[in-house]
Amino acid sequence: MSNAVVAPAVEGPEFTRAGLNLADASLGARVLFVTDEFFAPRERMLDPAPPVFYPDRYDDHGKWMDGWETRRRRSTGHDECVIRLAMPGRLMGVDFDTSFFTGNYPPAVSLDACYCPGGDPGDDADWQTLVPATPLQGNDHGFREIRSDQPWTHLRLHLYPDGGLARLRVYGKPHCDWSGLREQDEVDLLALAHGGDQVAWSDAHYGEPRKLLRPGRGVNMGDGWETRRRREPGNDWCILALGHPGLPRRVEVDTAHFKGNYPAACSIQAARVAPGTGTVQSLVTQSMFWPVLMAEQPLSADSVHRFETLADLGVITHLRFNILPDGGVSRLRLYGRPQA
């Protein structure tokens, strides 16, 4: 059996860096319905890992392909599927990835969306076209910008008329309806599902800070924020935005799977930042002087650390998470009470 060929990384548009892939199966996205999946099952299309190709791999249905692939259509019509996003979100752009699909990619695709926060869409769902029919090329990335200010929960992908897609990545910002959470005593104000996000960081050589905000515990050492080995004075840090202004009450720092590369200690600074004031770079500068929310605390390998002694800073919107001097952290939770 030949070794796997991994699709190379590409430099995508700005929305691929600014947005979260809401069609990521590891976050909970699922394909609910397909018209056909004869050659390759639906689940592969939402795999967060890069597509792979085995030159000599075949199965009972033919050539093994890493993606979703339908049979050759011998009738009128076209193939489609319905996807439930990992969480509701305002969408910024999409990547129709046809890596390794050279003679079996769809000549064109389109993308619809609907908002059904209470469940999955029925026959009366109000589908809106986000990406009209657009041509694709084989073994390529079909990046398309999406301009929409409203949140969506489900997508409907059309293949014209049939074929295969290695990956569907849909980038956006998670949307949280805080009207139902403000009365709760305590929520994770940093969770991705609640709108928490990364803003800036000193280094992210092995993993971006956004991974700190993912649900559950990390699955391995690659599922967290990890910096390179620091060879100069100072320490690494990241700035995170809360999903909603809130009063912080307790912190959890999880170093799951980080055993020989966890930080020796950590601390947190925080502030309330008015919307639209300054730039990312000015925020980085200002964050150096934010008051301390949590004083420096020692960390240990592969453990959940809970800290409840926090300074009373009032309502905050952003925090600066300092790790000393470098290393990796799997998850960061900031539990508190949302404020109007």
Side-chain angles (χ1 to χ4, degrees):
M1 184 70 69
S2 300
N3 292 330
V5 180
V6 181
V10 299
E11 184 73 15
E14 175 58 25
F15 64 72
T16 64
R17 294 178 290 278
L20 173 71
N21 178 17
L22 298 173
D24 182 342
S26 71
L27 288 174
R30 294 290 181 270
V31 181
L32 304 177
F33 163 80
V34 293
T35 51
D36 185 79
E37 51 185 336
F38 183 85
F39 283 114
R42 65 188 81 180
E43 293 84 5
R44 294 177 190 164
M45 184 174 62
L46 305 186
D47 188 339
V52 296
F53 181 73
Y54 296 91
D56 300 328
R57 178 177 288 186
Y58 292 83
D59 58 25
D60 290 341
H61 287 191
K63 186 72 182 73
W64 189 96
M65 296 298 293
D66 191 7
W68 169 47
E69 185 182 1
T70 71
R71 73 188 76 202
R72 300 192 187 206
R73 180 170 282 271
R74 302 308 189 200
S75 59
T76 57
H78 67 277
D79 287 314
E80 64 182 49
C81 71
V82 175
I83 299 157
R84 181 175 63 231
L85 295 174
M87 57 197 77
R90 292 182 169 85
L91 307 184
M92 305 161 64
V94 59
D95 177 13
F96 301 108
D97 183 353
T98 58
S99 292
F100 305 117
F101 285 83
T102 55
N104 51 347
Y105 63 92
V109 294
S110 68
L111 193 67
D112 306 330
C114 70
Y115 184 64
C116 296
D120 294 324
D123 295 338
D124 58 347
D126 182 18
W127 292 99
Q128 302 290 322
T129 299
L130 296 185
V131 179
T134 184
L136 292 185
Q137 299 296 321
N139 199 31
D140 193 20
H141 288 265
F143 294 112
R144 300 293 186 274
E145 184 178 3
I146 294 175
R147 297 188 178 184
S148 174
D149 292 330
Q150 68 184 89
W152 306 100
T153 58
H154 294 75
L155 302 176
R156 187 169 61 188
L157 171 66
H158 303 270
L159 309 183
Y160 300 112
D162 55 34
L165 204 63
R167 297 290 187 268
L168 177 71
R169 304 183 186 93
V170 184
Y171 297 93
K173 297 290 186 180
H175 167 76
C176 178
D177 181 5
W178 285 94
S179 62
L181 293 174
R182 288 176 184 156
E183 301 304 319
Q184 293 189 22
D185 185 52
E186 192 175 83
V187 297
D188 181 3
L189 298 167
L190 279 177
L192 284 177
H194 294 157
D197 203 1
Q198 62 188 13
V199 177
W201 51 91
S202 58
D203 184 78
H205 187 83
Y206 294 107
E208 63 180 5
R210 187 180 277 142
K211 292 182 178 181
L212 293 169
L213 316 181
R214 291 170 62 92
R217 297 196 73 193
V219 297
N220 54 43
M221 204 173 72
D223 190 12
W225 172 47
E226 184 182 1
T227 70
R228 63 177 174 83
R229 298 190 185 210
R230 177 171 281 271
R231 304 305 191 192
E232 62 278 339
N235 67 274
D236 287 313
W237 52 267
C238 66
I239 298 175
L240 304 171
L242 279 58
H244 193 280
L247 286 169
R249 291 186 172 178
R250 59 188 178 94
V251 170
E252 284 188 8
V253 180
D254 187 355
T255 57
H257 306 290
F258 290 96
K259 300 175 182 179
N261 50 352
Y262 62 93
C266 70
S267 68
I268 296 177
Q269 298 163 263
R272 183 169 190 166
V273 179
T277 58
T279 64
V280 170
Q281 187 53 52
S282 67
L283 201 65
V284 170
T285 303
Q286 294 165 14
S287 72
M288 293 188 293
F289 308 102
W290 287 350
V292 173
L293 176 67
M294 185 183 80
E296 185 175 314
Q297 302 289 338
L299 297 177
S300 56
D302 195 25
S303 301
V304 177
H305 309 76
R306 295 180 173 89
F307 307 107
E308 296 187 3
T309 303
L310 306 180
D312 184 8
L313 302 184
V315 176
I316 65 170
T317 60
H318 291 71
L319 62 79
R320 176 179 170 126
F321 181 49
N322 302 299
I323 56 173
L324 293 89
D326 56 25
V329 175
S330 176
R331 297 289 187 267
L332 176 65
R333 311 292 187 208
L334 179 69
Y335 294 100
R337 187 169 183 175
Q339 299 294 300

